Amino acid sequence: MKGRNILIVDDNKLTRKILKDILENAGYGVLEAKDGEEALQIYKNKLPDMVILDIVMPGMTGFDLLRILRKEEENLMLPIILLTSQDNFEEKIKGLELGADDYLVKPFNDKELLFKVNNLFQRIEHNRMANPLTGLRGNIDIKEEIKRRIKENKPYAILYIDLDNFKSYNDYYGFLRGDNVIKLTAKILSDAVNLIGNERDFFGTHRWR
Ligand SMILES: [Mg+2]
């Protein structure tokens, strides 16, 4: 995760400095903007890997900037953390509605900030490795998860679910319909895991081709 650039957008110089120090100490590159206009300029020129965005700023607010960034399809995967001054429920809902990934309430704790930043980068990485057909975690994640369980040395169970005679189905009905069968199967299984499973359950789709 090191070597990634994070753009901090906050009108308060001290907040920018605190964020910058913590993130740079953790190995991240930091870009700073004091308002929305400057942020957009820097964003276009430097394409940072993440944006940490203050909501309350003079002129363009954090919400305005969030709306502008999320309008572009290529920014949909850009991780954005919003900074709020108090635990304001309305602000949180509005930010989530506009596509923020997470929140940080000021004054924040160093560790909390770094956990949130690291987790977001990790999630993006997982998405990149996901099975493109089902959107679920793919081969690399499945292997890692199995290794982790073996290391833990606690009881676990693996279900390996396969569709019988799937090749014949594909040959007869074509790949498009075959893909739909895989997607539907994945959906049924993940719904079942979400409904009756627990938080330790892991579900992925393995891919041969
Ligand atoms: Mg502010």
Side-chain angles (χ1 to χ4, degrees), residues 68-197:
I68 292 169
L69 288 173
R70 284 292 189 244
K71 233 178 22 201
E72 305 291 323
E73 204 178 341
E74 66 259 35
N75 296 336
L76 284 179
M77 292 303 285
L78 170 75
I80 300 176
I81 297 178
L82 286 180
L83 290 175
T84 111
S85 35
Q86 78 263 67
D87 228 337
N88 185 324
F89 184 72
E90 298 292 318
E91 277 190 350
K92 283 191 178 179
I93 293 298
K94 189 170 177 197
L96 290 174
E97 206 181 342
L98 293 175
D101 294 286
D102 210 338
Y103 273 93
L104 210 55
V105 179
K106 292 190 269 191
F108 46 81
N109 164 283
D110 296 24
K111 281 193 185 127
E112 187 191 7
L113 165 70
L114 286 176
F115 271 125
K116 290 199 166 179
V117 168
N118 293 339
N119 286 351
L120 262 181
F121 275 134
Q122 244 164 43
R123 213 187 307 152
I124 297 268
E125 194 65 16
H126 277 182
N127 283 344
R128 204 180 54 76
M129 293 188 295
N131 182 309
L133 189 58
T134 60
L136 290 164
R137 285 170 291 187
N139 293 12
I140 301 170
D141 282 342
I142 294 173
K143 252 190 219 163
E144 274 179 10
E145 187 65 27
I146 292 174
K147 269 195 225 158
R148 194 158 38 228
R149 300 282 167 125
I150 292 171
K151 243 196 214 156
E152 267 185 2
N153 208 20
K154 283 182 196 158
Y156 63 91
I158 296 179
L159 273 179
Y160 187 93
I161 299 163
D162 194 25
L163 291 166
D164 270 349
N165 303 317
F166 189 60
K167 193 186 171 303
S168 318
Y169 186 95
N170 260 341
D171 289 346
Y172 190 81
Y173 292 105
F175 281 109
L176 209 61
R177 286 192 182 172
D179 284 355
N180 283 336
V181 170
I182 295 176
K183 278 189 221 166
L184 181 65
T185 311
K187 170 98 175 61
I188 292 168
L189 291 169
S190 72
D191 283 354
V193 170
N194 288 335
L195 203 65
I196 54 170

Side-chain angles (χ1 to χ4, degrees), residues 9-12 15 34 54-58 83 85 106:
V9 190
D10 198 305
D11 57 313
N12 186 300
T15 309
K34 62 181 182 318
D54 185 29
I55 295 176
V56 182
M57 293 188 291
L83 290 175
S85 35
K106 292 190 269 191

